[in-house]
């Protein structure tokens, strides 16, 4: 997967958008007082390094354009052949694997390191070992399930969705991820949702109120894991309805039904941890040895700076 040339793109296909534009957005959303100035300086430095590295001149491997990519088993045995093929076909492009963590991708990470890939710390993520029953020991999850049972909303599966439901699903997703949050998130459409459901790439489950869709979650399944890149709900509904709580409970129940662990992606730390999820660091890995020396230097310095910042942030999160 080749990103477009330029610096205005979604973070799932642009390292510049992921590491610079999204960081700037997060900084604007938080009142950090006097810390804002030095942090803006750090973002400016990272932006300069990425420009020198040619960060948009990359080829992504196994990038499904979702917030989290899940990987098929056995890919670790193909890393060297993938690397050699791509650096021959695209000698001016860095080679990137996104969405890697030790729990899900330990063998693949080891192979990437052995093959000369550089680690780029990405974000803190949360993983739920659903088959272990960890969530059942958490009172918050049990209360979420009780809310789901007593809310009076109807659970609707994507297999029964019709045209208007897909349009509504797009609206719910857009209002949350693009309007409430940021346009740097993926711009999914009703047509994409319908096609992804039809071919089985995404499975959908929603909540109806009087036949009207008020919440939806769409998840992808691979190798015993599921992740939900699609979530949307009526942001104008009463908070007492707890739509987010109900939808995340639905996702966990899907994990239980399928016997799958859940990659809960990033954000909402307290919410996810009180429902049994465990924190872990996520990385991208990039191969740059075939690039001009100044681009290699910029990539490697960028990776070291990210590693230092990630170590500090992760230690603070553990406090």
């Amino acid at each position: 997967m080749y990103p477009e040339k330029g610096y205005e793109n979604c973070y799932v296909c642009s390292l510049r958008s992921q590491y610079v534009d999204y960081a700037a957005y997060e900084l604007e959303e938080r009142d950090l007082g006097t810390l804002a100035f030095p942090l803006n300086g750090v973002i400016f430095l990272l932006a300069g390094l990425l420009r020198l590295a040619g960060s948009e001149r990359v080829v992504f491997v196994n990038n499904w354009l979702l917030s989290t990519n899940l990987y098929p088993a056995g890919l670790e045995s193909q890393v060297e052949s993938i690397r050699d093929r791509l650096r021959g076909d695209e000698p001016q492009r860095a080679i990137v694997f996104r969405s890697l963590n030790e729990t899900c991708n330990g063998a693949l990470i080891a192979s990437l390191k052995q093959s000369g890939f550089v680690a780029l710390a990405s974000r803190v993520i949360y993983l739920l070992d659903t088959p272990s029953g960890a969530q059942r020991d958490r009172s918050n999850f049990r209360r979420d399930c009780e809310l789901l049972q007593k809310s009076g909303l109807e659970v609707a599966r994507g297999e029964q969705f019709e045209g208007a439901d897909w349009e509504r699903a797009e609206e719910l997703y857009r209002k949350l991820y693009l309007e409430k949050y940021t346009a740097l998130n993926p711009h999914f459409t009703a047509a994409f949702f319908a096609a992804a459901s039809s071919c089985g790439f995404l499975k959908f489950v929603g909540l109806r109120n009087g036949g009207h869709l008020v919440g939806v979650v769409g998840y992808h399944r691979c190798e015993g894991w599921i992740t939900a890149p699609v979530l949307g709900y009526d942001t104008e509904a009463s908070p007492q309805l707890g739509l987010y709580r109900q939808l995340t409970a639905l996702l966990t129940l899907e994990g239980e039904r399928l016997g799958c662990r859940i990659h809960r992606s990033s954000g909402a730390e307290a919410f996810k941890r009180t429902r049994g999820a465990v924190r872990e660091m996520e990385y991208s890995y990039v191969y740059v040895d075939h690039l001009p020396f100044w681009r290699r230097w910029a990539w490697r310095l960028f990776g070291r700076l990210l590693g230092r910042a990630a170590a500090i942030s992760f230690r603070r999160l553990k406090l």
Side-chain angles (χ1 to χ4, degrees), residues 18-19 99 120-124 281-284 306 310:
Q18 177 182 352
Y19 287 104
S99 305
L120 305 179
S122 177
R123 58 182 182 166
V124 176
M281 200 71 208
E282 182 182 88
Y283 296 85
S284 291
L306 286 179

Side-chain angles (χ1 to χ4, degrees), residues 281-301:
M281 200 71 208
E282 182 182 88
Y283 296 85
S284 291
Y285 277 80
V286 56
Y287 184 80
V288 299
D289 284 353
H290 58 303
L291 300 179
F293 78 92
W294 65 87
R295 292 183 65 192
R296 295 198 305 269
W297 175 85
W299 276 118
R300 293 185 186 281
L301 179 57

Side-chain angles (χ1 to χ4, degrees), residues 151-169:
S151 68
L153 301 181
E154 174 193 357
V155 176
R157 304 202 66 83
E159 292 81 358
Q160 281 76 51
F161 282 14
E162 298 178 350
D165 294 317
W166 297 120
E167 295 290 340
R168 176 62 171 166

Side-chain angles (χ1 to χ4, degrees), residues 235-294:
T235 55
E236 298 178 0
S238 169
Q240 282 69 39
L241 194 55
L243 289 174
Y244 179 71
R245 290 174 56 200
Q246 293 193 58
L247 289 169
T248 55
L250 274 178
L251 179 65
T252 303
L253 293 173
E254 286 292 285
E256 290 182 349
R257 182 178 68 85
L258 297 168
C260 290
R261 291 179 286 179
I262 303 177
H263 190 308
R264 289 202 177 276
S265 211
S266 63
E269 177 196 7
F271 182 93
K272 293 171 182 176
R273 293 189 69 195
T274 56
R275 287 153 178 83
V278 176
R279 181 194 300 115
E280 187 154 341
M281 200 71 208
E282 182 182 88
Y283 296 85
S284 291
Y285 277 80
V286 56
Y287 184 80
V288 299
D289 284 353
H290 58 303
L291 300 179
F293 78 92
W294 65 87

